[in-house]
Amino acid sequence: STSSLTIKTSCLSIDRRAPAPFSALSKGSLMPIIRSADATIFELHGARFRSYASSATGSKALCFWRTEIAEEMTGMAHRVFGEEVFAIIEGRVQLTLDDEAHVLGPDDVAVVPAGTLLRLDNLGPGPAALWVSTATGLEAELGDGTRISPPWAA
């Protein structure tokens, strides 16, 4: 059975579930298997982040999550202090990198360099979804100077 705890703050809500169980592989090594139902869900600025691989699930160096963006939502501009890779899986988005806009659709991939100011908007119609990967410990700075350490990238 999966336990669930929901934590809400003024801008971030967390649906924290018990960490995914570890599965034994050959030669006695361990690898965490994170099922979709076991992903930890975060919501921030109108977007949903489904965290799969992070330090909380046993990953030492990489994080991997699914970002879901509501129809025609305008994202929050922020500067990332680590490289991120975005792989669009559903919908049409506009990814703005340092004031240069790029329209991306399913199967398009963008590599966002560290230090880049980015904003991700859903152009619609319908929701958009993408896989995102980065190194653990990613930090970002919002437009007002607030520095955040997203828990899905811990």
Side-chain angles (χ1 to χ4, degrees), residues 12-64:
L12 174 66
S13 86
I14 304 168
D15 179 2
R16 180 155 327 268
R17 297 186 173 122
F22 287 84
S23 230
L25 296 178
S26 62
K27 298 182 184 175
S29 65
L30 295 178
M31 181 177 91
I33 303 297
I34 300 95
R35 306 282 180 203
S36 180
D38 296 326
T40 302
I41 300 169
F42 303 91
E43 293 185 349
L44 181 64
H45 302 126
R48 174 173 285 162
F49 304 88
R50 295 179 180 272
S51 178
Y52 291 86
S54 69
S55 59
T57 58
S59 180
K60 302 284 188 240
L62 297 174
C63 295
F64 191 68

Side-chain angles (χ1 to χ4, degrees), residues 7 27 35 44 57 59 70 79 85 123 139 141 145 148:
I7 302 169
K27 298 182 184 175
R35 306 282 180 203
L44 181 64
T57 58
S59 180
R79 185 171 308 281
V85 177
L123 299 176
E139 292 186 346
E141 184 177 83
I148 64 170

Side-chain angles (χ1 to χ4, degrees), residues 139-150:
E139 292 186 346
E141 184 177 83
L142 304 180
D144 66 1
T146 302
R147 199 160 175 135
I148 64 170
S149 297

Side-chain angles (χ1 to χ4, degrees), residues 4-111:
S4 178
L5 167 67
T6 300
I7 302 169
K8 291 194 176 198
T9 65
S10 61
C11 19
L12 174 66
S13 86
I14 304 168
D15 179 2
R16 180 155 327 268
R17 297 186 173 122
F22 287 84
S23 230
L25 296 178
S26 62
K27 298 182 184 175
S29 65
L30 295 178
M31 181 177 91
I33 303 297
I34 300 95
R35 306 282 180 203
S36 180
D38 296 326
T40 302
I41 300 169
F42 303 91
E43 293 185 349
L44 181 64
H45 302 126
R48 174 173 285 162
F49 304 88
R50 295 179 180 272
S51 178
Y52 291 86
S54 69
S55 59
T57 58
S59 180
K60 302 284 188 240
L62 297 174
C63 295
F64 191 68
W65 66 89
R66 178 184 166 115
T67 300
E68 298 166 349
I69 308 166
E71 183 171 11
E72 298 181 5
M73 188 190 97
T74 299
M76 172 76 66
H78 59 288
R79 185 171 308 281
V80 292
F81 295 105
E83 182 177 76
E84 290 184 291
V85 177
F86 294 1
I88 312 306
I89 55 175
E90 178 184 343
R92 221 172 106 240
V93 299
Q94 179 171 293
L95 176 63
T96 304
L97 304 172
D98 289 332
D99 297 322
E100 185 177 334
H102 307 273
V103 175
L104 305 171
D107 297 328
D108 289 338
V109 173
V111 178

